[in-house]
Amino acid sequence: MTTANPARMRKPTLALVGATGAVGTVMRQILSTRADVWGEIRLVASARSAGRLLDVRGEQVVVQALSPEVFDGVDVAMFDVPDDISAQWAPIAAAKGVVVVDNSGSFRMDPDVPLVVPEVNPDAVRNRPKGIIANPNCTTLTMMDALGACTAGGSSPSSSSRPTRLPPAPASPGSTVSTTSSRSSAATASSARRPATSGGRSSTSSVPSRRSPHRWR
């Protein structure tokens, strides 16, 4: 295991919660290829995975077990875990002053949690009363960039003092699409903020029979 680069010590610390899952694995790959804006990157998973060595940014990093202490000194935490894990641990991290970016369905319906797509409503991240930021389900998220451009009318999303949360979702067969902005916003909220079901699984899963990508291990 390599020693942390001293030049990174002045940069913010990131915790990747769910680092051993399918989504966490992709996140580690992305962090290794994008601009190096982070200082320490903590890899967090269940107690079963604690002690494993995983690669990120060309370094071998020890996986830590999820606990309140793991968020000490962390600036931002990415949660790539099942709904029930996020629901329990995201508020714990936020209570320590961590900005939580949650990829589960636990907080999408919460009015005090901004639902953000960076290419559509980036300014919404500034208003986060609970210290948590949510994003739409992956199948919905793939459409947001294109639909955001269509509904922005050629203006930048950040030019509005109060940007809309998301562009309207496509109409289902047989339904009528409203042309008013107010009804479009209502359709957007209904589509993007789908509530989580019981049992810790999100109702936004496009294929219920498939295993969740946020597997906790």
Side-chain angles (χ1 to χ4, degrees):
M1 183 174 60
T2 60
T3 304
N5 187 337
R8 292 175 176 158
M9 299 306 291
R10 296 183 297 274
K11 298 179 180 179
T13 295
L14 172 70
L16 179 57
V17 184
T20 58
V23 177
T25 298
V26 174
M27 287 298 301
R28 287 189 286 110
Q29 295 171 351
I30 293 174
L31 289 168
S32 299
T33 58
R34 300 293 177 86
D36 188 9
V37 299
W38 302 104
E40 178 188 359
I41 295 181
R42 297 182 191 176
L43 303 182
V44 183
S46 69
R48 295 191 303 274
S49 296
R52 290 179 57 184
L53 287 174
L54 296 179
D55 185 78
V56 61
R57 298 186 301 189
E59 301 176 359
Q60 292 289 297
V61 178
V62 178
V63 175
Q64 302 182 44
L66 181 59
S67 68
E69 293 73 26
V70 82
F71 298 108
D72 291 343
V74 170
D75 298 289
V76 178
M78 291 284 298
F79 274 67
D80 298 310
V81 295
D83 291 7
D84 55 339
I85 303 296
S86 281
Q88 177 183 355
W89 287 95
I92 293 175
K96 288 179 170 285
V98 179
V99 176
V100 175
V101 180
D102 181 54
N103 290 330
S104 79
S106 294
F107 301 98
R108 291 172 186 153
M109 295 294 291
D110 192 324
D112 290 327
V113 175
L115 186 63
V116 177
V117 176
E119 296 82 2
V120 177
N121 60 337
D123 291 345
V125 300
R126 301 179 185 276
N127 181 24
R128 47 178 192 274
K130 293 186 176 180
I132 301 172
I133 301 167
N135 57 53
N137 173 262
C138 55
T139 53
T140 303
L141 189 60
T142 57
M143 301 182 292
M144 293 300 98
D145 199 6
L147 291 176
C150 291
T151 59
S155 62
S156 171
S158 61
S159 64
S160 173
S161 60
R162 187 180 179 84
T164 56
R165 287 184 178 273
L166 288 171
S172 58
S175 65
T176 302
V177 179
S178 169
T179 57
T180 63
S181 59
S182 60
R183 295 188 64 181
S184 296
S185 298
T188 296
S190 175
S191 173
R193 288 185 174 270
R194 296 178 180 175
T197 60
S198 59
R201 290 191 179 274
S202 171
S203 62
T204 57
S205 176
S206 57
V207 185
S209 62
R210 295 178 62 185
R211 180 175 295 173
S212 168
H214 305 293
R215 186 168 54 172
W216 183 237
R217 59 185 181 183

